[in-house]
Amino acid sequence: TQLLEQSPQFLSIQEGENLTVYCNSSSVFSSLQWYRQEPGEGPVLLVTVVTGGEVKKLKRLTFQFGDARKDSSLHITAAQPGDTGLYLCAGPTGTASKLTFGTGTRLQVTL
Amino acid sequence: GAVVSQHPSRVICKSGTSVKIECRSLDFQATTMFWYRQFPKQSLMLMATSNEGSKATYEQGVEKDKFLINHASLTLSTLTVTSAHPEDSSFYICSAGGLWAGGVNEQFFGPGTRLTVL
């Protein structure tokens, strides 16, 4: 079973601060995705990283896929209250269409 | 991205009754849909993979007779929680997707259904 461990589990910061969320595995993934989920809603896809070492930017969010494709990170610059939510990494496992989700990182950004 | 809807968004039922949850892909045909369960403050746990026109594939530990899945068309999958009990109370989320162009696996999620069994 391919496991995805995220750290930290919970993060509470003030508006304007920077933060990094990590997603680690002992297994190699062909790709990894990051989702954000708000309470009472389904996850929303933020990005997919495919190539080892790849860096993608989405406004204030920077995603990186590890060179060995076993880990990924999400860096948020100047966090805003609207960034509050559950951040999940996910990677394909078993049959190509199934996803395994990471343990999740709950982010709270306060004014 | 693709749009996936779920109905109902919230349901409260008495113990022993059955509840049906619908998952629809609105703007694309989904040969594969997935059903997840999420407990408070936890991540998503895959329950089963729903394949159009064939039987669902259940994850280890998920009772197939308890959670009936039907994928009758390319745009609709249903999850029926039979003889629901309070421990079945949870947030159920479906997704649609599979391999897209370039071999990248992406799934698009519905808004979820909050089930409360009294």
Side-chain angles (χ1 to χ4, degrees):
Chain A
T1 303
Q2 295 172 293
L3 298 176
L4 286 166
E5 293 285 339
Q6 288 184 235
S7 62
Q9 290 184 346
F10 179 75
L11 193 55
S12 181
I13 62 172
Q14 291 188 322
E15 183 180 21
E17 293 185 24
N18 302 331
L19 66 117
T20 302
V21 177
Y22 299 94
C23 173
N24 295 296
S25 176
S26 58
S27 303
V28 175
F29 284 87
S30 58
S31 64
L32 277 179
Q33 287 141 33
W34 286 92
Y35 294 82
R36 181 170 66 214
Q37 183 184 23
E38 299 190 21
E41 299 181 11
V44 175
L45 178 66
L46 297 174
V47 77
T48 300
V49 286
V50 179
T51 306
E54 181 178 8
V55 176
K56 281 190 173 179
K57 290 192 175 183
L58 185 65
K59 296 184 180 179
R60 295 177 292 100
L61 278 60
T62 301
F63 304 86
Q64 186 164 8
F65 200 10
D67 291 339
R69 291 186 288 127
K70 291 183 178 182
D71 55 87
S72 181
S73 64
L74 158 60
H75 182 79
I76 301 179
T77 304
Q80 299 177 359
D83 296 326
T84 294
L86 177 66
Y87 288 82
L88 298 159
C89 64
T93 185
T95 60
S97 60
K98 286 172 57 173
L99 282 178
T100 292
F101 277 84
T103 49
T105 295
R106 192 166 297 275
L107 172 65
Q108 184 174 31
V109 183
T110 57
L111 294 172
Chain B
V3 179
V4 177
S5 70
Q6 275 184 248
H7 178 78
S9 58
R10 185 181 296 267
V11 57
I12 301 173
C13 69
K14 293 182 179 180
S15 185
T17 60
S18 294
V19 175
K20 180 185 284 188
I21 302 170
E22 293 185 348
C23 176
R24 294 181 185 273
S25 58
L26 299 183
D27 52 3
F28 71 104
Q29 294 182 328
T31 55
T32 304
M33 290 185 174
F34 303 88
W35 287 96
Y36 296 83
R37 185 172 182 176
Q38 186 177 32
F39 291 107
K41 299 185 179 181
Q42 293 188 23
S43 185
L44 276 68
M45 182 186 73
L46 179 65
M47 298 175 64
T49 302
S50 172
N51 300 297
E52 187 268 336
S54 64
K55 291 183 178 180
T57 304
Y58 291 82
E59 295 300 300
Q60 191 172 7
V62 178
E63 299 176 59
K64 61 180 181 180
D65 295 328
K66 173 76 170 176
F67 300 99
L68 300 178
I69 291 173
N70 182 273
H71 194 154
S73 76
L74 289 172
T75 59
L76 173 64
S77 176
T78 61
L79 168 67
T80 300
V81 183
T82 62
S83 186
H85 291 285
E87 58 266 29
D88 298 323
S89 299
S90 190
F91 194 52
Y92 292 87
I93 307 173
C94 72
S95 72
L99 288 178
W100 299 81
V104 176
N105 175 35
E106 293 191 5
Q107 292 182 20
F108 297 92
F109 288 81
T113 296
R114 171 77 58 195
L115 171 63
T116 303
V117 185
L118 303 177

